C-alpha cells in the first residue's frame, strides 16, 4: 500500500512538472503598479510561467520583484529572444504602451494576452494581442478589443462594444452596449459611456464622467 501511495505521488509530481513545462515563459515590460497586477493575473492563470521583467524606470538596485528577475531596460529586448516565449507590455500610459508594443512586434516576439481568472470574457468576444483584462472585469458577447487594450478591475465592456487598439478602461469604468472607445482613449475610474456613444481617438475622460451623447 505504501508503494502504491509513493507511486501515485510520483505521478502527481510528474504531472505538475509537465504542466509547468507546457506554460509559456512570459516577459513583462513594466514593473510598476500595473505591471505587478498583470504579473499576479498571469501567475494565477494556467497559461504562463512568469519569467522576468524589463523596466526602463527600475532602480539600479532592483534586481528582483517577487523573486522574479528584473533583467534590465527595454534596450535589451532583443537579447531576450530564446529566453522567453511571449511578452506583454504592462504600462498604463497609452502612448508609451503602444510604442513599446510596436517595438516588441518589430523584434518578431510574440505578444501575450493576460486574462485574470476572476474576469468574465464571452467566448463570442474578440480579444487582440497584448490585452490585459483584470479581476472582476466583464467583456460581453460580440465585444471587440483591439491590440494592447487594458480593461481594469471591475470594468465592463458590454455586448457589441468596440475598444480600439490601446484604449484603456480604468477601475469600474463601464461601456453600455454598442458604444465605442477610440484608439488610445482613456476612461478613468467610474466613467461611463451610454448606448451607442463613440469616444474619439485619444480623448481622456474625467473620473466619473458620463458620456451620453
Amino acid at each position: 500500500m505504501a508503494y502504491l501511495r509513493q507511486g501515485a505521488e510520483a505521478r502527481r509530481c510528474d504531472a505538475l512538472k509537465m504542466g509547468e513545462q507546457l506554460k509559456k515563459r512570459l516577459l513583462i515590460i513594466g514593473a510598476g503598479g500595473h505591471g505587478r497586477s498583470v504579473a499576479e493575473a498571469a501567475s494565477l492563470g494556467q497559461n504562463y510561467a512568469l519569467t522576468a521583467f524589463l523596466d526602463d524606470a527600475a532602480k539600479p538596485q532592483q534586481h528582483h520583484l517577487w523573486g522574479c528577475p528584473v533583467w534590465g531596460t527595454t534596450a535589451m529586448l532583443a537579447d531576450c529572444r530564446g529566453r522567453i516565449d511571449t511578452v506583454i507590455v504592462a504600462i498604463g500610459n497609452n502612448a508609451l504602451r503602444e510604442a513599446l508594443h510596436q517595438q516588441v512586434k518589430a523584434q518578431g516576439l510574440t505578444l501575450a494576452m493576460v486574462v485574470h481568472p476572476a474576469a468574465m470574457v464571452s467566448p463570442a468576444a474578440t480579444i487582440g494581442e497584448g490585452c490585459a483584462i483584470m479581476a472582476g472585469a466583464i467583456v460581453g458577447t460580440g465585444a471587440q478589443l483591439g491590440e494592447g487594450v487594458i480593461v481594469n478591475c471591475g470594468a465592463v465592456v458590454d455586448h457589441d462594444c468596440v475598444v480600439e487598439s490601446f484604449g484603456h478602461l480604468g477601475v469600474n469604468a463601464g461601456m453600455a452596449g454598442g458604444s465605442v472607445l477610440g484608439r488610445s482613449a482613456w476612461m478613468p475610474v467610474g466613467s461611463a459611456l451610454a448606448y451607442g456613444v463613440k469616444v474619439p481617438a485619444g480623448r481622456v475622460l474625467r473620473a466619473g464622467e458620463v458620456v451620453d451623447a
Side-chain angles (χ1 to χ4, degrees):
M1 185 65 72
Y3 172 79
L4 292 175
R5 285 198 298 269
Q6 290 171 359
E9 184 63 24
R11 289 191 295 273
R12 179 175 177 274
C13 289
D14 288 343
L16 289 172
K17 289 177 183 178
M18 181 63 71
E20 287 298 315
Q21 290 171 358
L22 292 174
K23 290 184 178 181
K24 294 181 179 179
R25 298 168 296 173
L26 177 66
L27 172 67
I28 295 180
I29 297 178
H34 182 58
R36 297 195 305 274
S37 297
V38 170
E40 183 175 76
S43 297
L44 291 171
Q46 301 298 316
N47 297 322
Y48 302 112
L50 184 58
T51 301
F53 293 87
L54 296 181
D55 194 318
D56 291 338
K59 298 176 182 178
Q61 67 273 21
Q62 186 178 5
H63 301 299
H64 289 83
L65 179 61
W66 296 347
C68 192
V70 179
W71 281 341
T73 69
T74 55
M76 65 168 294
L77 183 59
D79 298 329
C80 298
R81 188 179 286 105
R83 303 167 69 186
I84 51 92
D85 300 307
T86 191
V87 184
I88 188 166
V89 181
I91 293 173
N93 181 287
N94 291 349
L96 182 55
R97 185 169 70 263
E98 179 175 1
L100 290 169
H101 181 103
Q102 301 300 353
Q103 188 176 332
V104 171
K105 291 179 73 173
Q107 292 293 339
L109 297 167
T110 300
L111 282 149
M113 176 184 71
V114 172
V115 179
H116 195 289
M120 296 179 62
V121 178
S122 167
T126 302
I127 312 298
E129 60 186 6
C131 288
I133 303 175
M134 309 309 291
I138 298 174
V139 180
T141 187
Q144 300 177 51
L145 274 57
E147 296 181 40
V149 165
I150 296 173
V151 184
N152 223 317
C153 299
V156 175
V157 181
D158 201 2
H159 66 85
D160 303 307
C161 288
V162 175
V163 184
E164 295 180 356
S165 294
F166 309 105
H168 183 169
L169 281 80
V171 172
N172 289 332
M175 298 176 65
S179 58
V180 178
L181 185 66
R183 186 184 184 96
S184 295
W186 182 32
M187 296 178 63
V189 57
S191 56
L193 305 185
Y195 291 100
V197 165
K198 181 171 182 178
V199 172
R203 181 175 172 184
V204 177
L205 303 184
R206 300 184 306 275
E209 180 177 357
V210 176
V211 181
D212 58 7

